[in-house]
Amino acid sequence: MPEEQTTTSLAPSPSPLAPRPSPLPDAKEVSALLPEGFSLDILRQERIVPLRIDGEMLIVGAVDFDAWPKAQMLGLALGYPIDLELHGEKELGDLIHTLYDLRSVAADEAAKGIEGIDDIDDLTREDILSDSVDVPVIRLVNGLFVDALKQRATDIHVEPYEDEVLIRFRIDGVLQDRLRLPRSNQAPLTSRIKVMSRMDIAEHMAPQDGRIGITLGDRAVDVRVGLVPTQYGERIAMRLLDKGGGLLTLADLGMEERERNIMNGLIHHPHGMILFTGPTGSGKSTSLYAILQELARPEVNIITVEDPVEYALPGVSQIQVNEKAGVTFAAALRSILRQDPDIVMIGEMRDFETAHIGVQASLTGHLVLSTLHTNDSISAIIRLVDMGIEPYLAASCMIGTVAQRLARRLCPNCRREIEPPAMMASQGLTRAFEPVGCPHCHNTGYRGRVGLYEQFVINEEIQEAFVGGAPASKLREIARKSGFKTLWEIGLSAVQSGLTSPDELARVAGED
């Protein structure tokens, strides 16, 4: 048909196009080509970007020639004939993300328009990068998620008080104030989060838990939501789990060579129990996932029981605890032992029944990994006895325990060398650094975190002493013969290397 021939004749010939065209223009130049109100979602979905006006022609960037029909539609919308210019998918994707950054409404600005929003029950859009949403409360919540992910926050806290609503981000383990909203903003903000996390929007007096799945461009992020009623309203804590960037390997944990060798020795035992201890947010789950990735092989059967399942592990069968359905840690553990596992990971030793089944499993040929809440590694084996496990069973099953902390890592661009504190200098510290603050670290002086791992390896002498009733101080004394180092001593080494500061070590590990 003639019409089809005309369309075909407009298609550019691949021959004159260079394999690597001129560099992409600045995002501000691209933004100037787009009319006000034009949705960037179209560009992202079709992977096309208007680059520049060349004479009377609109040059459109694309990944391949399949984008030609969509590029023609873009040209019609902007009033120009078009020509294609091929670029790499990542280059175009980065440019589109920068366009979103230029156009995005910050959470602070979005908060100004919330008043008057009452009914948001039907608004459940969860593509937080989209610029097609005009409802202020949705833009505020989306803006909070975008800001949190850009600043590498792991948690968002929404805290109502008498005269205001305080929003805080936890960045590198420390809470930082992000936004203060008028008290009148609390109801729409809380309702929006409830809708997104599939909570009961009419329930205001009982705790609730939920989950949100969001996307930021190509990044998939799960958000665990916990809500509790307080004196001035419902308080919300949201844990961000980046599905693309959350999994670390053993090599990524940042252990020194000595600690890494000890860890490798522990996890490659054919059977026994290894416990990870530390407060909430100290990275225990991250360490367990790193170990499971190391151990996962086709010939090994690995099953986990978790609450919740935070990341999907290839080659690992993961069970989500569901107490309403009767799937408790103990019940799931009893069932999976009939699945012939080689390695079992229990999210947490919460009670005697779970601990007892875990101990029995470790004594019958399984490698059992789990977590426990104690202050140091040596206290973990004592805590098992406090839970009702016989001392001889605890000593027989245990391979080792690991106490860990996450200390903020000094920004390498702005850290400043100082004289070591007198107390630390008396313990052998010869150099130290302090945070300063620069644009790279958002003026905090820290960027990222470094793990400190205290590893207590159980040998025969320690087993005999423990069964004989030896206190923790005696067990530590015996362990030192084999090179045991406390969290404080490992932290001093990190301070000496310039990885963290004396103040940060004191915050996470306390004085030895």
Side-chain angles (χ1 to χ4, degrees):
M1 293 175 60
E3 190 175 30
E4 291 178 346
Q5 292 172 357
T6 303
T7 303
T8 305
S9 66
L10 290 174
S13 171
S15 54
L17 286 174
R20 281 292 173 189
S22 55
L24 290 172
D26 185 84
K28 291 181 180 178
E29 298 174 24
V30 174
S31 183
L33 298 174
L34 298 171
E36 186 176 350
F38 186 91
S39 175
L40 299 178
D41 295 350
I42 298 171
L43 305 184
R44 176 158 58 103
Q45 291 162 6
E46 306 301 340
R47 299 186 301 172
I48 54 176
V49 186
L51 300 180
R52 61 187 178 276
I53 304 296
D54 188 354
E56 296 297 320
M57 189 81 68
L58 174 67
I59 307 301
V60 178
V63 176
D64 53 42
F65 287 110
D66 291 341
W68 178 257
K70 299 295 183 182
Q72 277 190 308
M73 294 177 65
L74 177 63
L76 287 173
L78 301 184
Y80 290 94
I82 65 103
D83 199 357
L84 280 188
E85 187 173 278
L86 299 189
H87 288 269
E89 186 169 0
K90 184 179 186 305
E91 293 175 295
L92 288 179
D94 290 344
L95 178 56
I96 293 172
H97 274 246
T98 308
L99 289 172
Y100 274 109
D101 288 343
L102 291 175
R103 187 178 285 190
S104 66
V105 178
D108 315 61
E109 187 178 338
K112 298 174 185 175
I114 292 186
E115 289 79 6
I117 304 300
D118 297 317
D119 184 11
I120 61 170
D121 289 8
D122 297 327
L123 302 173
T124 59
R125 183 180 177 91
E126 295 169 12
D127 179 4
I128 62 170
L129 197 60
S130 174
D131 66 342
S132 303
V133 176
D134 293 322
V135 181
V137 68
I138 298 183
R139 294 177 72 84
L140 169 64
V141 175
N142 287 0
L144 287 175
F145 284 133
V146 172
D147 286 351
L149 290 167
K150 285 181 180 176
Q151 296 184 39
R152 301 174 298 103
T154 55
D155 301 81
I156 302 173
H157 289 237
V158 180
E159 306 170 6
Y161 295 102
E162 185 174 6
D163 300 317
E164 65 180 3
V165 179
L166 175 61
I167 296 176
R168 299 197 286 172
F169 290 172
R170 186 178 294 278
I171 302 173
D172 293 334
V174 177
L175 281 171
Q176 300 177 15
D177 290 358
R178 173 61 185 88
L179 195 59
R180 293 178 184 272
L181 302 175
R183 186 76 167 80
S184 58
N185 290 172
Q186 184 201 346
L189 176 60
T190 303
S191 295
R192 171 59 184 162
I193 295 172
K194 281 183 169 182
V195 168
M196 292 180 75
S197 54
R198 310 297 189 266
M199 292 181 183
D200 183 353
I201 198 169
E203 175 59 69
H204 301 286
M205 303 304 294
Q208 297 189 64
D209 293 310
R211 200 162 189 145
I212 304 171
I214 61 177
T215 59
L216 178 63
D218 296 329
R219 292 169 67 184
V221 181
D222 277 358
V223 185
R224 267 173 28 208
V225 185
L227 179 149
V228 294
T230 67
Q231 181 181 5
Y232 296 112
E234 293 163 296
R235 187 187 195 282
I236 300 172
M238 295 179 279
R239 168 67 55 88
L240 307 178
L241 303 170
D242 191 338
K243 310 299 281 187
L247 282 174
L248 301 179
T249 64
L250 273 181
D252 297 328
L253 294 182
M255 293 183 180
E256 293 184 357
E257 185 177 359
R258 175 185 172 279
E259 273 70 41
R260 191 164 59 248
N261 290 337
I262 295 173
M263 178 68 74
N264 280 323
L266 287 175
I267 66 175
H268 285 98
H269 274 74
H271 55 80
M273 180 181 288
I274 305 172
L275 293 178
F276 283 76
T277 76
T280 301
S282 61
K284 300 186 297 295
S285 296
T286 300
S287 296
L288 286 172
Y289 279 130
I291 289 171
L292 291 179
Q293 288 183 91
E294 177 79 13
L295 297 177
R297 300 185 304 276
E299 65 270 21
V300 176
N301 183 14
I302 303 177
I303 305 180
T304 74
V305 188
E306 305 172 57
D307 185 21
V309 173
E310 295 187 1
Y311 298 101
L313 291 170
V316 177
S317 299
Q318 297 169 270
I319 298 173
Q320 167 74 55
V321 167
N322 185 345
E323 296 194 359
K324 291 182 180 178
V327 186
T328 62
F329 276 110
L333 191 51
R334 278 194 298 268
S335 298
I336 66 177
L337 290 179
R338 293 191 286 270
Q339 297 290 319
D340 188 30
D342 299 296
I343 300 170
V344 176
M345 192 272 271
I346 309 168
E348 184 181 343
M349 292 286 189
R350 290 185 177 176
D351 50 40
F352 166 75
E353 189 177 10
T354 306
H356 179 70
I357 299 171
V359 167
Q360 294 296 327
S362 67
L363 292 172
T364 54
H366 305 85
L367 179 63
V368 178
L369 308 172
S370 189
T371 68
L372 202 60
H373 287 285
T374 63
N375 290 326
D376 59 35
S377 58
I378 296 176
S379 299
I381 190 170
I382 299 172
R383 174 74 180 123
L384 275 185
V385 175
D386 291 342
M387 293 172 70
I389 303 299
E390 292 292 338
Y392 72 92
L393 287 177
S396 300
C397 76
M398 195 70 66
I399 304 169
T401 60
V402 181
Q404 68 178 82
R405 301 290 189 275
L406 292 176
R408 287 183 292 172
R409 185 187 294 269
L410 282 168
C411 175
N413 297 290
C414 64
R415 67 181 185 182
R416 177 170 58 206
E417 189 164 359
I418 58 171
E419 284 292 320
M423 182 269 293
M424 295 184 182
S426 67
Q427 297 177 342
L429 189 67
T430 59
R431 62 192 303 229
F433 296 82
E434 68 176 1
V436 176
C438 69
H440 292 91
C441 57
H442 299 288
N443 293 311
T444 63
Y446 297 97
R447 184 171 179 82
R449 288 189 282 181
V450 57
L452 308 177
Y453 300 88
E454 174 187 288
Q455 300 182 88
F456 178 53
V457 180
I458 311 295
N459 56 31
E460 289 186 10
E461 187 177 357
I462 291 173
Q463 287 179 344
E464 292 173 4
F466 180 71
V467 173
S473 58
K474 179 62 176 177
L475 298 179
R476 183 180 293 108
E477 182 183 324
I478 298 171
R480 282 194 180 278
K481 299 176 185 177
S482 303
F484 172 79
K485 288 186 177 182
T486 64
L487 269 173
W488 181 263
E489 292 166 340
I490 293 166
L492 283 177
S493 177
V495 173
Q496 176 81 23
S497 303
L499 295 176
T500 192
S501 67
D503 288 345
E504 186 65 7
L505 173 59
R507 182 183 73 86
V508 301
E511 187 176 342
D512 190 24

